[in-house]
C-alpha cells in the first residue's frame, strides 16, 4: 500500500515544483517589467513636475537654457516607425506568401535561411549601410528629383522641401523597413505554413486564382498572425537606436518634410545620456522620454489586441 502511494506522491511533488517554477518565471517577468516602468517614472518625475503636461506637447529641446520637451523626438519616432512598417508590411507579406505558396521547396529553404540570417545582422551594420549607401543616394538622386519635379504640387511640396542632406525621416524609415522586414517575414511564413493545406486546395479546386486564394483565403485565416508580425516589427522600430542615429540627422525639431533631419526618442537618449549629469533636469527629461516611449509601446500592443479582437 505504502509502496504504491510513493510514486503518486512523487508525481504530485514534481508537479507542484514545476508549477512553482513556471509561476516564479512569470512573476519575474512582471517584476522586471514593473521595475523598468517604475525606474523610468521615478527618474522622470523631476521633468514632469517642472514642465507638467506641457513636457509631452513642447517641441523645444535646449540643454543650454534647460528647457526640454518630448514632442520633437516623439514625432520623429512615430513617423519613422510608420514609414518603416508601411514599407516592410507588403514586402514581408509578399515574400512569406511566395515562400509558402509559389517557390519550389529547395529555393524556399535557401531564401528562408537567408531571411533568418538577415534578421540576425546587428542593427549598427544596418546603420552603417544606410549612412554610406542610402544617405548619399537620397541626397544625390531622390530628393533632387522630387524637388525638381514636384516642388510646385501643393499636397506634396511640404513633404519634400529642404536641403538635400540625405538624412531624415524617409531615410530612417527605409533603414527600419529593411531591419524589421525579416522578422515580419519569418512570423508570417510560419503562420502561412500552419494554414491547413485543404483550404488552399479547395479554393484552387473551385477555380480560384492565386490572387483570390491570397486575398479571400490566406488573409482572413492569417489575420491575427499578420497583426502580430506587424506589431513585432513596430516594436523593433520604436526602440531602434543606433541604426536610426546614423541616418536621421539628430535635429530636435518638428516638421512634415520627410527629407529634413529629425530625431527619435531612442537616438536622442543614446546621444545625450552620457553627457547628462546625475540628478540634472536633462537626465530626468531623458528618463521621462523613455517612460513615454514605454507607454507608447504599451498603447501599440493594446491597439494590436483590439484589432485582433482579443477580449481577455
Amino acid at each position: 500500500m505504502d509502496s504504491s502511494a510513493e510514486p503518486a506522491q512523487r508525481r504530485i511533488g514534481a508537479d507542484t515544483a514545476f508549477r512553482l517554477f513556471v509561476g516564479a518565471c512569470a512573476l519575474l517577468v512582471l517584476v522586471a517589467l514593473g521595475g523598468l516602468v517604475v525606474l523610468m517614472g521615478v527618474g522622470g518625475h523631476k521633468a514632469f513636475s517642472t514642465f507638467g503636461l506641457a513636457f509631452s506637447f513642447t517641441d523645444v529641446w535646449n540643454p543650454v537654457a534647460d528647457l526640454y520637451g518630448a514632442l520633437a523626438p516623439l514625432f520623429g519616432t512615430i513617423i519613422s516607425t510608420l514609414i518603416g512598417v508601411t514599407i516592410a508590411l507588403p514586402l514581408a507579406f509578399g515574400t512569406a506568401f511566395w515562400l509558402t505558396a509559389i517557390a519550389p521547396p529547395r529555393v524556399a529553404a535557401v531564401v528562408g535561411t537567408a531571411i533568418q540570417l538577415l534578421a540576425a545582422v546587428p542593427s549598427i551594420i544596418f546603420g552603417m549601410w544606410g549612412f554610406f549607401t542610402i544617405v548619399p543616394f537620397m541626397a544625390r538622386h531622390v530628393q533632387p528629383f522630387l524637388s525638381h519635379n514636384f516642388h510646385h504640387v501643393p499636397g506634396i511640396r511640404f513633404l519634400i522641401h529642404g536641403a538635400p542632406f540625405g538624412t531624415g525621416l524617409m531615410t530612417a524609415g527605409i533603414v527600419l523597413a529593411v531591419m524589421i522586414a525579416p522578422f515580419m517575414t519569418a512570423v508570417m511564413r510560419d503562420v502561412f505554413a500552419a494554414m491547413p493545406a485543404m483550404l488552399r486546395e479547395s479554393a484552387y479546386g473551385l477555380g480560384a486564382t492565386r490572387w483570390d486564394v491570397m486575398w479571400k483565403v490566406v488573409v482572413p485565416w492569417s489575420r491575427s498572425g499578420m497583426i502580430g508580425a506587424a506589431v513585432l516589427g513596430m516594436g523593433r522600430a520604436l526602440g531602434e537606436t543606433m541604426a536610426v542615429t546614423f541616418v536621421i540627422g539628430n535635429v530636435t525639431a518638428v516638421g512634415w518634410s520627410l527629407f529634413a533631419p529629425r530625431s527619435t526618442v531612442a537616438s536622442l537618449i543614446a546621444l545625450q545620456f552620457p553627457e547628462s549629469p546625475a540628478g540634472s533636469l536633462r537626465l530626468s527629461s531623458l528618463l521621462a522620454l523613455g517612460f513615454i516611449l514605454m507607454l507608447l509601446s504599451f498603447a501599440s500592443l493594446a491597439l494590436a489586441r483590439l484589432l485582433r479582437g482579443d477580449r481577455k
Side-chain angles (χ1 to χ4, degrees), residues 109-126:
V110 174
V111 176
T113 302
I115 291 174
Q116 294 176 355
L117 292 175
L118 186 62
V121 175
S123 61
I124 193 170
I125 302 300
F126 285 104

Side-chain angles (χ1 to χ4, degrees), residues 53-251:
L53 291 177
F55 177 79
S56 302
F57 305 101
T58 304
D59 61 350
V60 176
W61 190 273
N62 190 345
V64 177
D66 234 14
L67 296 175
Y68 305 100
L71 182 60
L74 282 176
F75 178 84
T77 299
I78 294 173
I79 299 301
S80 61
T81 299
L82 290 178
I83 294 173
V85 173
T86 301
I87 297 174
L89 186 58
L91 178 63
F93 176 83
T95 304
F97 184 81
W98 180 80
L99 290 174
T100 56
I102 300 177
R106 292 184 178 180
V107 177
V110 174
V111 176
T113 302
I115 291 174
Q116 294 176 355
L117 292 175
L118 186 62
V121 175
S123 61
I124 193 170
I125 302 300
F126 285 104
M128 296 172 64
W129 165 76
F131 182 79
F132 289 109
T133 304
I134 303 300
V135 171
F137 180 77
M138 300 291 282
R140 297 171 186 171
H141 302 286
V142 176
Q143 191 174 358
F145 173 80
L146 294 175
S147 298
H148 178 73
N149 293 280
F150 299 98
H151 69 279
H152 59 283
V153 181
I156 301 179
R157 180 174 54 193
F158 70 98
L159 294 175
I160 61 176
H161 76 275
F165 295 122
T167 57
L169 295 173
M170 180 57 71
T171 307
I174 293 174
V175 173
L176 287 175
V178 176
M179 288 185 58
I180 66 179
F183 293 92
M184 298 169 65
T185 302
V187 175
M188 290 187 185
R189 182 189 181 190
D190 292 340
V191 172
F192 295 165
M195 181 179 179
M198 182 179 64
L199 296 178
R200 286 198 190 95
E201 294 172 358
S202 300
Y204 286 128
L206 293 174
T209 63
R210 281 199 175 111
W211 171 261
D212 294 329
V213 172
M214 180 189 71
W215 187 249
K216 298 180 180 180
V217 178
V218 175
V219 171
W221 193 90
S222 308
R223 175 172 171 266
S224 296
M226 292 170 57
I227 294 176
V231 172
L232 176 65
M234 184 183 300
R236 174 74 187 272
L238 284 172
E240 180 52 44
T241 305
M242 294 310 300
V244 174
T245 303
F246 272 88
V247 299
I248 200 169
N250 303 303
V251 175

